[in-house]
Amino acid sequence: MAGRGLYVATLLTGLLECLGFAGVIFGWDSLVFVFKAEHYFEELCEPNAGLLGNATEQAAEDCKAQYEKFSLVFTLASSMNNFMTFPTSYIFDRFKTTVARLIAIFLYTSATLTIAFTSAGSTVLLFLAMPVLSVGGILLLLTNLQIGNLFGKHRSTIITLYNGAFDSSSAVFLIIKLLYEQGISLRASFIFLSVCSAWHVTRTFLLMPRGHIPYPLPPNYSYGRGRAHLSQERRTGILGPGQQQKPRSFWSYVFSQRFAWHLVWLSVIQLYHYLFIGTLNSLLTSLAGRDRVIVSTYTNAFAITQFFGVLCAPWNGLLMDRLRQKYQKEAKRTGCSTSMVALRSAVPSLTLTSLLCLGFIICASVPVLPLQYVTFILQVISRSFLYGGNAAFLTLAFPSEHFGKLFGLVMALSGVVSLLQFPIFTLIKGPLQNDPFYVNVMLILSTLLTFVHPFLLYWECRAQKESPPAVA
């Protein structure tokens, strides 16, 4: 009973950690609003010398060079959020939970302190601090995802819940924006985030294992005083009697068709999410006719919808868990392999995520300001399904011993693709003269490509249902 209480405490504190800290970088638009008020990169704006009165203010509101700098900072931060997941996953696999978390806390605290002491005269520090903040946050998430292993049949639900909390943490920058409007300085807010690292350290030593949480969970598994026996328990729990099958190499999974199409699915959908977040302030400024009050209202609305990611994401995991239980009952009658049952349960989730993204892009492409409320709702649901579904799919489609490396690699490679957001933004602002029509058409066509992934999985499951199990 005490062990179960420890599991629940670990789950709830992990949820709070992801919700309050891990993915704050994706609240970037709220922070941009504060940075503009603090005149960050404003020296790049050159008002027309012939204009009088509010010429400087208007130029700052519609300054291409300033927008490009903010977009570049976010491009680097969001790409590093992905690209550095592979080396940090290696650190997590190699050095285990405690070491990985201490590195994450060091990076996160260094970043928040750096941001706290930046000013309009030292904006170059944002190019360092924001990527470091992003890497520290994703490593905190990575160490928490294994907590799903403690809860057996609810594993996918908890993994998606944590990814949803990661998405919802972007609302933290909205809170910082609202506090700033009430007179609380940017420096005070980020110093507070830095001080919270003491809580992260305490949780690392009291509520997290030093090693990894195995899956499936061995009988009578515990951490704390039971750590000395963890290795033997893990071996007996994972290997079990009669499991003599020779394992496939890590690279054989990397070069599989299944992994390649999952990478395409994640990269395409993620690219538009990053592009939308990174350019939202510019989009709203254009649609609102440079009305600062309207831009602030819509920025707040977007940030508020992000908070509901933690409520949306578990539905994806619940869908996968329920379907897997249903298909397992069928498998007992038909003799299908458990791996195919797991894959089959992922097909509806992947398809639904692609549909949500398609609807999100179509709504965002219509230059009608009130319609953006619908865009915000579709964006948060799509994004929460994307990352929760990504992590859950990797746990279902590949062996658990390779999860950290495969998760890191797919995030890193998709991070390379996400670098395209900056040249796309430059293309819209430059040659296309602020008209994103052709870019939106290209992105809609690219999104249609993501439906290939669930389609191929469906045919793979169907083929193996009609024939003896084969390797993917």
Side-chain angles (χ1 to χ4, degrees):
M1 188 68 181
R4 197 67 180 174
L6 179 63
Y7 293 176
V8 172
T10 301
L11 170 68
L12 295 179
T13 55
L15 184 63
L16 179 61
E17 185 171 83
C18 291
L19 187 61
F21 303 92
V24 293
I25 186 64
F26 295 104
W28 176 247
D29 293 293
S30 297
L31 204 57
V32 165
F33 194 90
V34 177
F35 286 153
K36 287 172 71 176
E38 288 286 307
H39 311 293
Y40 282 41
F41 299 118
E42 199 171 285
E43 71 279 1
L44 300 173
C45 302
E46 298 178 2
N48 190 322
L51 298 176
L52 299 175
N54 65 346
T56 302
E57 181 182 348
Q58 181 171 328
E61 288 295 324
D62 191 22
C63 175
K64 174 186 172 184
Q66 185 186 38
Y67 283 136
E68 285 183 346
K69 287 294 183 181
F70 285 132
S71 178
L72 183 57
V73 171
F74 181 75
T75 296
L76 292 173
S78 58
S79 298
M80 290 296 285
N81 176 77
N82 288 49
F83 187 72
M84 288 301 293
T85 307
F86 185 58
T88 53
S89 295
Y90 174 80
I91 291 172
F92 177 53
D93 282 351
R94 175 68 178 82
F95 299 103
K96 303 181 181 175
T97 302
T98 299
V99 172
R101 285 184 58 81
L102 291 177
I103 292 173
I105 294 165
F106 171 77
L107 293 173
Y108 199 93
T109 308
S110 300
T112 51
L113 285 174
T114 301
I115 298 167
F117 291 97
T118 56
S119 65
S122 57
T123 50
V124 68
L125 291 176
L126 293 180
F127 288 98
L128 172 65
M130 289 301 174
V132 171
L133 180 70
S134 181
V135 174
I138 195 66
L139 190 48
L140 284 176
L141 171 66
L142 188 61
T143 60
N144 280 308
L145 287 179
Q146 61 179 328
I147 294 172
N149 295 348
L150 296 173
F151 296 91
K153 63 181 181 180
H154 302 296
R155 187 186 185 208
S156 294
T157 303
I158 290 171
I159 288 173
T160 53
L161 176 66
Y162 271 42
N163 277 275
F166 177 86
D167 294 340
S168 294
S169 66
S170 59
V172 170
F173 281 174
L174 169 63
I175 296 172
I176 290 176
K177 173 182 177 290
L178 296 175
L179 290 174
Y180 178 83
E181 292 172 342
Q182 297 301 314
I184 307 298
S185 70
L186 192 66
R187 176 170 297 180
S189 295
F190 275 92
I191 287 177
F192 175 78
L193 289 178
S194 303
V195 171
C196 287
S197 293
W199 179 74
H200 300 315
V201 173
T202 301
R203 182 171 177 270
T204 298
F205 290 104
L206 296 184
L207 292 173
M208 294 292 286
R210 290 176 186 161
H212 297 133
I213 300 174
Y215 184 81
L217 205 64
N220 302 317
Y221 172 78
S222 66
Y223 44 95
R225 291 186 178 181
R227 284 172 180 159
H229 305 289
L230 214 165
S231 295
Q232 181 61 33
E233 286 178 343
R234 182 175 181 179
R235 280 195 295 270
T236 57
I238 291 178
L239 293 178
Q243 293 187 359
Q244 303 296 328
Q245 191 175 23
K246 185 178 179 180
R248 289 174 56 183
S249 70
F250 166 70
W251 292 108
S252 69
Y253 292 108
V254 171
F255 293 112
S256 67
Q257 174 183 281
R258 188 185 298 173
F259 184 82
W261 277 107
H262 186 68
L263 174 61
V264 171
W265 177 84
L266 175 65
S267 300
V268 171
I269 298 177
Q270 177 180 258
L271 173 61
Y272 190 74
H273 278 281
Y274 282 2
L275 181 66
F276 182 77
I277 294 171
T279 61
L280 181 61
N281 187 267
S282 174
L283 172 67
L284 293 177
T285 300
S286 176
L287 293 179
R290 295 191 294 272
D291 187 315
R292 199 168 186 271
V293 175
I294 294 177
V295 172
S296 177
T297 300
Y298 275 82
T299 300
N300 291 351
F302 175 71
I304 290 170
T305 58
Q306 299 305 293
F307 180 77
F308 290 94
V310 70
L311 302 178
C312 299
W315 290 101
N316 192 18
L318 188 62
L319 171 67
M320 297 173 76
D321 283 336
R322 289 291 175 88
L323 286 174
R324 189 166 71 251
Q325 291 169 24
K326 175 187 174 183
Y327 295 151
Q328 280 173 345
K329 293 178 181 178
E330 293 181 10
K332 290 178 181 178
R333 297 194 305 267
T334 61
C336 290
S337 68
T338 55
S339 62
M340 284 302 104
V341 167
L343 277 183
R344 192 179 169 193
S345 68
V347 171
S349 169
L350 297 171
T351 306
L352 182 57
T353 304
S354 294
L355 279 172
L356 286 167
C357 182
L358 185 62
F360 157 51
I361 295 177
I362 291 173
C363 287
S365 301
V366 180
V368 176
L369 191 57
L371 185 61
Q372 301 315 305
Y373 287 121
V374 179
T375 302
F376 297 164
I377 294 170
L378 288 173
Q379 189 271 342
V380 71
I381 299 174
S382 171
R383 186 164 176 261
S384 61
F385 271 49
L386 174 66
Y387 290 111
N390 170 53
F393 174 78
L394 292 174
T395 64
L396 296 174
F398 302 100
S400 59
E401 63 267 24
H402 296 309
F403 170 74
K405 295 184 286 293
L406 288 170
F407 180 80
L409 184 61
V410 78
M411 293 295 285
L413 294 175
S414 64
V416 175
V417 176
S418 70
L419 288 170
L420 291 172
Q421 63 185 293
F422 184 70
I424 291 174
F425 175 79
T426 306
L427 177 66
I428 294 172
K429 284 291 184 180
L432 296 181
Q433 300 180 343
N434 249 5
D435 182 4
F437 175 77
Y438 293 106
V439 169
N440 289 333
V441 170
M442 176 193 69
L443 290 168
I444 288 172
L445 293 175
S446 299
T447 303
L448 294 176
L449 186 65
T450 64
F451 287 93
V452 174
H453 181 35
F455 178 77
L456 290 177
L457 278 180
Y458 170 78
W459 279 103
E460 181 182 350
C461 294
R462 182 172 177 176
Q464 294 213 16
K465 185 177 180 181
E466 298 171 354
S467 62
V471 291

